[in-house]
Each structure stands twice: as C-alpha cells, then as structure tokens.
Amino acid sequence: TPGWDLAGNAYLRRFSQRYVDGNDGNFENCSTRSNFRGFLCYQDDGFTAAPGQTQAQFRNQFLLLGAGNAPIPFRAGIPCATLDTVKTEATGWGGSLQATNRDRLLDHGNTFILGGSIDVADYSFKSASLLGLINPDLSVTTNPLNLTYGLVPGLGTGPLRTAAALGIAPSSVIGSNLSMGLYALDTFDLTEQLSLTAGARLNFARIATRDLTGFSPDVTGTRYYTRVNPVAGLTYRVAPWLSLYGGYSESNRAPTPLELACANPNRPCLLPNSLVADPPLKQVEAQTYEAGLRGAVPDFYEGGLLSYKLGLFRTDLTHDILQVAVPGNAARGYYVNVPATRRQGVEVAAEYAAERVSLYANYALIDATFQFQGELSSPNNPLASGDGLIRVRPGNKVPLVPEHQIKAGFEVAVTPEWRLGMNVAAFSSSFFRGDESNLNRKLAPYALVNLTTSYQVSREVQLFGLVTNLTNTRVANFGTFIEPSAAFANRYALTDPRSTTLLQPLSVYGGMRVTW
C-alpha cells in the first residue's frame, strides 16, 4: 500500500556429511585391582570409585568391549587408537516476514517495523569408534602398516565402547529444533536532528533430542528457552554528513543440540560432532552498549560515495558456553556454562565506492576477557594443577580471539565487464584453547592476502574467481593442547603439548552466477 512495505523470504536446506578421523585412544592394560588384567582398558589408572558407585560399576567404566561385546586382549608395545566415524544429516526450513510503515506520526517523521521469523530443523547424529593403531607415519588404520606389529588382536572390532558406555561409546541421536521470533521497532524523529529508536524482540526455542542406543537415556528430552530482548538508542544528525549515535540492546542464544547433548564430563563427546548424555545448559544472555559517530559524504571524489564509522562497544555475557577437554583424550570434551565474559573495544571503518573503483579499510580492537574467578578443566595444559585444572581470574583473555584485527581491500573495473580486486586481513596473537589462565606462549600473529575477479558475460551470467592465501602463508590460526604419548615413541619423542592447525594453504576457486 502507499504506507506499508512488505518483505520476506523462505528457504529449504539439506545437509549430509560423513567423515572418518583417527585419534589417540589412551588405552592401557587393565590394572590388577580391576580383575581384568590382560585385557584392554581406557584410562584405568589414578581413579577411585565415586560415592555410591559399586565396584562392578567402577570397573566397567574402564573395560573396553569390541564386536559382540567381547573384551579385547592387551598386547604391550602396540600404540592403540580409535578410528572414529561420524555421520550428520539435517533438513531445515524457515522464513521471515517484515512489514514497514513510514507514515508521519504527530507531524513527525516515523518508521515502524513489525516482523517475525521461524526456523525448523530435523537432524540425526551417529558416531562410532573402531579399535585401530597409530602407524609410524602417524596415520591411524585398522590394519598394521608396520610388519613389526604382527597380528594385533581386536583391530577393527566395533563399535568400541567401555562396558559401562562411559568415555567411549557409540551414539545415535535424532531430534528437532524450533526457533521463533517476533519483533517490533520504532524510530521517531523528536526533532529534525534527533531520532529515538526503541523496540523489543521475543525469542522462543524448543530443542528436542532422543537417544536411539540405550546408552545415553539422559539425552532424551525437550528443552525450552524464551526471552524478551529490548533495544533503545538515540541518533543525532550534527550535519548531513555526520551523525552521533548511542544505544543499548540485549540478546540471547539458546544452546545448540551439540552443546546440550555434550555437557557431561563423565560422558565426553567426540568433538565437535558427537552427542551423549548431559545436564542442561543455560542460554547465553548478552547486554550491549555502543556509541560513536558515522556518516556518508556523497560526491567525495569523482562522484564516489565515502562512508565511515567510529564506534565504541561493550558486550557483557552471562552463562557463556565454553568447550573444555577431559583428561587423556584431546579429541573428546564437553561444554560448560561460565558465569561471565566480556567483549569490548573500538571499531573504525571507511569505504569509498565509485563507478570504476571501490576500496575499504577497517580496524577492530577486541578486548575479550573472563569476568569471573574459578577453575576450568584443561588436563593437557602444562601448567595445570595435578588434577588437571587451571584457575581463571577476572581480566584473563578469552582464547582464540585476536585483540587487533585489520581488513582492507579494493576492487577496480579493468573493463566494463571485468573487475579485479585484492584484500588483506591481519590478526594479532591469541591464546591457545585450554589456556584460559593465559600462562603459556601465544599463537603468532599472521596476515592473509586474497585475490578476487569477476567477468560479466551478460546481464544474467557472471563468471567469478577467488584465490585465498595468495602468499601460501604457513602459520597456525588455531591451537590447543594434547598429551604427549608414549604411543609415538617408536618414531617421535613428543615433549611439547602444544598442537596447532595451520591456515588453509593457497587455494583457487572458480564458478558461475546466474540471475534472472
């Protein structure tokens, strides 16, 4: 209608993934106290029975069973591992609808927005482990590639699990997600220069999961999360090309199915794609404050538009969700809520766009810190206590969040049809995951150079290309800790618990876009 605009979208997505991964198993000969001496056990040392736990329950949480639920004989000198298979299937659909009205209110400019969204997904997760071994080249297989190992009993048997299905067990979970939101937002011009914005959003989430194995009945259940998030702000137009702004907003995030079903340290998961029993997690809640200036200068140079922004922000989160490790197996872990974290900093950005050339640059200072005092599990951290805990204090940096981030790039029209561009991204150092106490050496800073190009064949057809990591930079952008294991002693003597993942190497992509 003359006063209302209506906009919306709808989507349908299908996702299917299967992969195999090899992991150190931390297996050993069952101890004499377990009555299973001579068979393979999982971490059968340094533990005592929990209060109320029978001796049979205590022993069964270590004994490994293979095909036919048979115990697996132990053989000295064999670097045992697990060959883990994970399969994920998901079908999602949803959409959003938004109505906007710009009629004047009380003879003042006014913009009113009313909208809603719905997102639905059905999913399934399956994982299982086979008994494998670590070869001299560090590959994990179910058949020995080193003839000196000879015949290894139990290789390839599975699905592998402990007798009590603790620590290692197959999983099979199905479930569904439902997320709905309803929001309203109004911007009212108090004067020609000053505008007030206020609104709120109601979020609702339902996450239902069901265990199909019988090993993890605690997975089965339905959890609900709701919250009303307000927003308010002021904008003052100092000049046509300059505005000052300030605001406050709240938001929330419900835990994902993976986080919900992998939150029990007694049943750690194959991360990040396996689901087992759990206690419930709380939703993450955030309070954000921001202020700054922004604007746009038309006809800045050769008819181009210059836009810019300088902003300060602070976001305080309660019940933030972290992933932590369990003793003896870097591949398995669980998720926990922590009382409070904070992200605060500065954003500076500028962009120039003209007919034949465009360029941009932005910088972000992100001070991400913990705002509580307590202990977290990090058993492979070399500075952890004897029971595998590290102490977190207010002001400690959140791992894997570079404090300084710079991005810049340009694109130029070589011809009316052909465009060529380059962009650079640089990141400062950050702490390893598992070093929430900030006591170890950090990951090194790094920079990436990428190229982009496109050719407009016709109004409907465009060819495009992308080159990432043009200089083939070999530096790590992720780090965590592992347990140096005697399993590698036949070839590698590992003394450093740091483990890193390198950047994706030089890569070239090409494709075609068709629009009509």
Side-chain angles (χ1 to χ4, degrees):
T1 71
W4 287 91
D5 295 331
L6 191 65
N9 63 46
Y11 70 88
L12 174 67
R13 298 191 183 113
R14 173 67 182 166
F15 177 80
S16 180
Q17 181 188 67
R18 182 182 184 273
Y19 72 87
V20 179
D21 188 23
N23 291 293
D24 181 12
N26 196 32
F27 301 144
E28 57 196 1
N29 192 0
C30 296
S31 66
T32 53
R33 62 178 178 171
S34 69
N35 298 330
F36 295 118
R37 190 67 176 175
F39 291 98
L40 200 62
C41 272
Y42 172 60
Q43 292 183 295
D44 186 14
D45 56 11
F47 297 94
T48 56
Q53 191 178 38
T54 67
Q55 282 301 308
Q57 291 172 330
F58 175 68
R59 293 194 303 267
N60 286 343
Q61 69 188 18
F62 304 111
L63 179 65
L64 284 167
L65 305 179
N69 295 330
I72 301 170
F74 170 78
R75 182 177 166 186
I78 301 299
C80 289
T82 59
L83 199 65
D84 305 308
T85 302
V86 177
K87 185 177 182 180
T88 308
E89 303 279 348
T91 301
W93 61 270
S96 63
L97 192 64
Q98 177 176 295
T100 304
N101 180 271
R102 295 182 176 84
D103 292 336
R104 295 181 67 83
L105 179 64
L106 303 177
D107 202 29
H108 288 256
N110 188 75
T111 300
F112 176 71
I113 298 173
L114 179 67
S117 64
I118 182 171
D119 300 277
V120 183
D122 296 313
Y123 54 85
S124 67
F125 295 91
K126 293 182 180 179
S127 70
S129 300
L130 301 178
L131 183 65
L133 58 80
I134 303 173
N135 295 288
D137 64 355
L138 299 187
S139 64
V140 176
T141 61
T142 56
N143 59 302
L145 301 183
N146 186 336
L147 298 180
T148 61
Y149 291 148
L151 180 63
V152 180
L155 279 185
T157 60
L160 193 68
R161 67 176 177 91
T162 59
L166 291 174
I168 292 182
S171 66
S172 181
V173 176
I174 61 174
S176 63
N177 284 356
L178 171 63
S179 298
M180 295 187 293
L182 183 64
Y183 60 90
L185 187 72
D186 190 82
T187 299
F188 181 71
D189 295 337
L190 299 172
T191 68
E192 291 294 328
Q193 290 79 35
L194 183 64
S195 298
L196 170 67
T197 296
R201 178 183 175 104
L202 170 64
N203 286 334
F204 168 83
R206 185 200 68 203
I207 303 175
T209 54
R210 183 158 63 95
D211 169 56
L212 301 182
T213 65
F215 298 136
S216 303
D218 293 344
V219 162
T220 300
T222 302
R223 299 167 181 84
Y224 299 91
Y225 298 90
T226 58
R227 197 174 196 275
V228 176
N229 296 312
V231 58
L234 287 170
T235 301
Y236 183 75
R237 287 173 289 281
V238 180
W241 48 270
L242 173 63
S243 296
L244 306 180
Y245 69 92
Y248 170 81
S249 62
E250 296 182 8
S251 60
N252 72 297
R253 179 180 76 82
T256 67
L258 170 64
E259 292 168 338
L260 276 173
C262 186
N264 189 339
N266 296 319
R267 293 183 181 270
C269 303
L270 271 171
L271 295 174
N273 287 307
S274 186
L275 301 175
V276 294
D278 68 290
L281 290 173
K282 298 178 181 179
Q283 64 183 350
V284 183
E285 299 179 350
Q287 297 176 316
T288 299
Y289 310 83
E290 58 179 339
L293 57 89
R294 60 193 174 206
V297 183
D299 297 325
F300 178 74
Y301 178 74
E302 294 187 353
L305 174 68
L306 173 67
S307 56
Y308 60 91
K309 174 184 178 181
L310 169 62
L312 306 175
F313 67 90
R314 189 175 101 177
T315 299
D316 293 317
L317 295 97
T318 55
H319 314 309
D320 204 356
I321 297 175
L322 296 184
Q323 173 191 327
V324 296
V326 295
N329 198 326
R332 298 174 189 268
Y334 61 100
Y335 293 93
V336 295
N337 284 120
V338 296
T341 62
R342 173 178 294 166
R343 278 82 168 162
Q344 62 183 1
V346 180
E347 293 177 307
V348 182
E351 181 177 0
Y352 172 77
E355 183 178 358
R356 293 197 56 187
V357 64
S358 64
L359 53 91
Y360 71 91
N362 61 65
Y363 164 78
L365 167 65
I366 303 175
D367 180 34
T369 57
F370 295 103
Q371 296 297 313
F372 73 96
Q373 182 163 297
E375 293 182 328
L376 293 175
S377 173
S378 186
N380 298 322
N381 188 319
L383 299 178
S385 64
D387 50 5
L389 298 177
I390 57 174
R391 175 158 290 279
V392 179
R393 294 175 173 83
N396 283 151
K397 301 289 186 180
V398 177
L400 301 177
V401 181
E403 189 171 8
H404 303 280
Q405 303 181 21
I406 301 174
K407 298 178 182 179
F410 72 88
E411 187 177 68
V412 60
V414 181
T415 70
E417 296 82 16
W418 179 30
R419 300 186 72 88
L420 182 66
M422 174 185 289
N423 59 77
V424 178
F427 303 89
S428 63
S429 58
S430 60
F431 288 98
F432 280 53
R433 174 178 287 172
D435 190 22
E436 286 77 9
S437 53
N438 299 171
L439 297 178
N440 292 270
R441 193 191 313 174
K442 301 163 72 173
L443 289 165
Y446 66 94
L448 282 176
V449 180
N450 307 313
L451 293 179
T452 61
T453 186
S454 64
Y455 188 84
Q456 200 71 37
V457 179
S458 65
R459 197 172 81 172
E460 296 82 12
V461 179
Q462 182 190 79
L463 303 178
F464 67 89
L466 172 66
V467 179
T468 62
N469 197 357
L470 178 65
T471 58
N472 202 28
T473 300
R474 303 285 287 171
V475 68
N477 65 343
F478 176 86
T480 188
F481 300 109
I482 63 171
E483 179 183 14
S485 172
F488 301 102
N490 59 334
R491 184 163 182 177
Y492 299 102
L494 299 185
T495 59
D496 192 336
R498 293 175 300 159
S499 174
T500 59
T501 301
L502 297 180
L503 291 168
Q504 180 177 317
L506 171 69
S507 304
V508 181
Y509 303 87
M512 178 174 63
R513 294 188 184 94
V514 179
T515 58
W516 64 90

